[in-house]
Amino acid sequence: MKSKLLIFAFAMLCIAIYILVDITFLQSNLQKISAPLDTSTVNIEVVHDNHKSLFGEQVDKFLTLKFKLKNRDERFRISESIEIIHSSESSVDSLNNALKNSAQVTVWFKSIRLGNEISVYKLEVDGFTIFNNTEKEKSRSFNLFFVMIGASIIFFYLSLVSHLPKSNLML
């Protein structure tokens, strides 16, 4: 049991170190593509959570901007929760309008894809930054880093305690 806890704690520590490196070098890990806009659309996406909560099925709605650049195969996306939108024109609609009126679009993204579309971290239109999600991502990753460090400390402690004889434990 001790070795399994120790291996798990070490794995969590390694993941935490990876997250810290990702936080530190986020901007340098992003790839950049510049090209004119090909197409862009704004849609409402409804996501149903399969797990039932106390209040019924969880349904989340997102306003999603999807766009493609000329002579590129990648499809990009920016999503915003509809609950966050307070005005009649959301920031996603504003981004779409800026894209449609642009001559050159520069997209910053990570090369790792989880689906058919790539999440955008930073968006520039004609040399001006109109969307920058890097600080929000750093904050989210920083919180995850502390959770992983805390969990690895707990598992290191549990592996140490499971190795001690029962007479040395103070209850």
Side-chain angles (χ1 to χ4, degrees), residues 32-50:
K32 174 174 118 174
I33 293 177
S34 294
L37 179 70
D38 186 15
T39 60
S40 71
T41 59
V42 175
N43 297 314
I44 294 177
E45 291 183 356
V46 179
V47 179
H48 296 273
D49 190 359
N50 295 334

Side-chain angles (χ1 to χ4, degrees), residues 145-155:
F145 167 74
F146 278 115
V147 167
M148 296 303 284
I149 287 292
S152 64
I153 289 170
I154 290 169
F155 283 108

Side-chain angles (χ1 to χ4, degrees), residues 5 11 22 25 30-31 36 40 45 64 68 73-74 80-82 91 100 110 117 119 127-128 143-144 160-161 165:
L5 287 173
D22 189 49
F25 301 107
L30 297 178
Q31 292 185 350
S40 71
E45 291 183 356
T64 303
K68 185 178 179 311
D73 294 330
E74 298 91 351
E80 181 178 81
S81 175
I82 288 183
S91 61
K100 289 185 176 188
K110 283 188 177 180
E117 296 156 348
S119 292
F128 296 101
N143 291 339
L144 184 59
L160 178 68
V161 168

Side-chain angles (χ1 to χ4, degrees), residues 16-83:
I17 291 170
Y18 172 79
I19 292 169
L20 182 62
V21 169
D22 189 49
I23 293 168
T24 306
F25 301 107
L26 177 64
Q27 191 69 29
S28 63
N29 289 338
L30 297 178
Q31 292 185 350
K32 174 174 118 174
I33 293 177
S34 294
L37 179 70
D38 186 15
T39 60
S40 71
T41 59
V42 175
N43 297 314
I44 294 177
E45 291 183 356
V46 179
V47 179
H48 296 273
D49 190 359
N50 295 334
H51 300 91
K52 299 275 183 177
S53 68
L54 294 174
F55 305 107
E57 184 179 22
Q58 178 73 27
V59 177
D60 295 318
K61 292 182 181 178
F62 295 93
L63 198 57
T64 303
L65 168 63
K66 297 179 182 181
F67 62 96
K68 185 178 179 311
L69 302 178
K70 287 185 180 176
N71 302 320
R72 303 296 304 191
D73 294 330
E74 298 91 351
R75 298 196 183 282
F76 301 97
R77 73 180 283 131
I78 297 174
S79 292
E80 181 178 81
S81 175
I82 288 183
E83 295 171 359

